[in-house]
Amino acid sequence: MEFADNLVVGAKVRMWKLGERIKDFLEEEHGVSNVVATVILVLIVVLIISVFYEKLSEWLKGMMEKIFGTKFEKPSL
């Protein structure tokens, strides 16, 4: 009977420890490092600029014409 009791107690202790480890794992919170966040923001800005390049270049050309009073040609890539 002592052997069976030891098995049951050992199994209960292991299950309790496993439950504690799972709870600790789920409660851990790690934030994104500043470098990763900066890279993601730069990527988003570059993608927005590439999508709206034509509109931005037209707007910038209009602003330069208003400021300097001369005609600017479209930049070539």
Side-chain angles (χ1 to χ4, degrees):
M1 201 61 166
E2 195 174 307
F3 178 71
D5 289 338
N6 287 340
L7 283 177
V8 170
V9 170
K12 284 186 178 184
V13 168
R14 283 190 207 102
M15 292 301 291
W16 177 74
K17 285 183 181 179
L18 178 65
E20 288 293 315
R21 279 191 237 144
I22 290 174
K23 188 175 98 177
D24 290 341
F25 175 75
L26 293 176
E27 288 178 353
E28 284 183 22
E29 295 180 13
H30 296 289
V32 177
S33 70
N34 291 337
V35 175
V36 174
T38 304
V39 168
I40 290 173
L41 286 174
V42 168
L43 244 163
I44 290 171
V45 168
V46 168
L47 288 174
I48 289 173
I49 289 173
S50 66
V51 167
F52 297 110
Y53 177 76
E54 289 295 322
K55 294 286 184 188
L56 285 173
S57 64
E58 288 176 19
W59 176 78
L60 186 60
K61 188 174 79 171
M63 292 300 287
M64 296 301 267
E65 287 174 1
K66 285 181 183 177
I67 292 171
F68 296 112
T70 59
K71 295 282 185 182
F72 287 94
E73 298 203 13
K74 185 177 179 182
S76 61
L77 292 177

